[in-house]
């Protein structure tokens, strides 16, 4: 906060990527379905361009990633993430481990469920759970065009509107 010229409206924790692989029994297993759970770099960049004027946006990672202008990166392990989350005011990201960790804070957030999984399975009532709201979620472990279309049609201006309304 001290580095910003004007006082920000709040601090937003961003979770912009889905888990792409896991090491199990010394084998690297790729999650092909991660594409079904991601908004995509272009959409995130559009949102960050809109939102970074009024908010501090923070993302954590365990390894160095491509830098997106307007987003603060913190390299840390999963255990350190919660300490950072406690300092944040809001969460935006896909359904997954970090959205569950955020739920421990009991603070508001926007969680992208899309077409892949319904919010009533792993969502929290105090979050804004974005979904297709249909009873035909795919849960596919392969690429799903309905999932990809959900994220293609998710407008950064709309997410900014939700942030402004709920922070």
């Amino acid at each position: 906060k001290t580095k910003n010229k004007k006082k920000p409206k709040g601090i937003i924790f961003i979770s912009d990527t889905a888990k792409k692989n896991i090491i199990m029994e010394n084998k690297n297993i790729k999650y092909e379905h991660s594409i079904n759970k991601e908004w995509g770099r272009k959409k995130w960049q559009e949102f960050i361009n809109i939102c970074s004027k009024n908010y501090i946006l923070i993302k954590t990672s365990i390894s160095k990633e491509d830098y997106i202008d307007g987003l603060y990166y913190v390299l840390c392990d999963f255990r350190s993430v919660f300490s950072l989350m406690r300092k944040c005011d809001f969460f935006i990201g896909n359904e997954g481990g970090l959205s569950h960790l955020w739920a421990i804070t009991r603070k508001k957030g926007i969680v992208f469920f899309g077409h892949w999984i319904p919010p009533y399975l792993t969502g929290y009532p105090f979050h804004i759970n974005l979904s297709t709201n249909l009873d035909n979620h795919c849960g596919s472990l392969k690429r799903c065009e309905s999932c990809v279309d959900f994220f293609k049609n998710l407008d950064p201006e709309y997410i900014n509107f939700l942030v402004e309304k709920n922070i």
Side-chain angles (χ1 to χ4, degrees):
K1 283 183 175 179
T2 59
K3 290 183 179 182
N4 287 289
K5 293 178 181 157
K6 75 176 193 178
K7 186 176 179 181
K9 292 181 180 180
I11 303 172
I12 300 174
F13 189 93
I14 302 287
S15 174
D16 66 337
T17 56
K19 187 183 263 189
K20 293 182 178 18
N21 59 25
I22 189 170
I23 297 175
M24 193 180 304
E25 297 177 4
N26 294 327
K27 293 180 183 176
N28 189 10
I29 299 170
K30 291 191 178 207
Y31 287 161
E32 293 179 41
H33 68 286
S34 65
I35 190 75
N36 296 339
K37 298 174 74 176
E38 288 191 354
W39 201 14
R41 183 178 174 92
K42 183 180 175 192
K43 293 281 191 166
W44 276 111
Q45 184 65 68
E46 289 177 38
F47 172 76
I48 290 165
N49 290 345
I50 297 165
C51 210
S52 64
K53 297 172 186 114
N54 297 316
Y55 298 94
I56 295 174
L57 306 172
I58 296 177
K59 172 189 166 56
T60 60
S61 179
I62 58 172
S63 63
K64 190 174 179 178
E65 296 180 10
D66 292 338
Y67 180 77
I68 298 177
D69 192 36
L71 187 61
Y72 290 94
Y73 284 85
V74 180
L75 290 174
C76 61
D77 61 14
F78 189 76
R79 289 182 177 189
S80 302
V81 171
F82 184 66
S83 296
L84 288 168
M85 284 182 164
R86 289 182 30 204
K87 303 277 186 201
C88 295
D89 303 303
F90 203 77
F91 173 89
I92 303 171
N94 55 306
E95 185 280 331
L98 292 180
S99 68
H100 297 298
L101 186 60
W102 178 258
I104 296 170
T105 70
R106 304 290 293 177
K107 297 176 191 176
K108 283 191 173 188
I110 299 171
V111 181
F112 303 149
F113 280 83
H115 177 258
W116 193 71
I117 185 174
Y120 65 80
L121 287 178
T122 62
Y124 300 91
F126 49 89
H127 289 161
I128 299 163
N129 299 310
L130 299 181
S131 174
T132 58
N133 291 324
L134 301 173
D135 288 332
N136 65 348
H137 293 81
C138 74
S140 178
L141 298 179
K142 303 286 183 192
R143 179 185 174 97
C144 168
E145 288 308 315
S146 294
C147 290
V148 173
D149 286 344
F150 171 84
F151 285 105
K152 278 183 188 174
N153 295 321
L154 190 57
D155 184 27
E157 289 283 349
Y158 177 64
I159 300 304
N160 186 59
F161 167 77
L162 290 176
V163 169
E164 291 289 330
K165 188 176 170 186
N166 290 284
I167 198 163

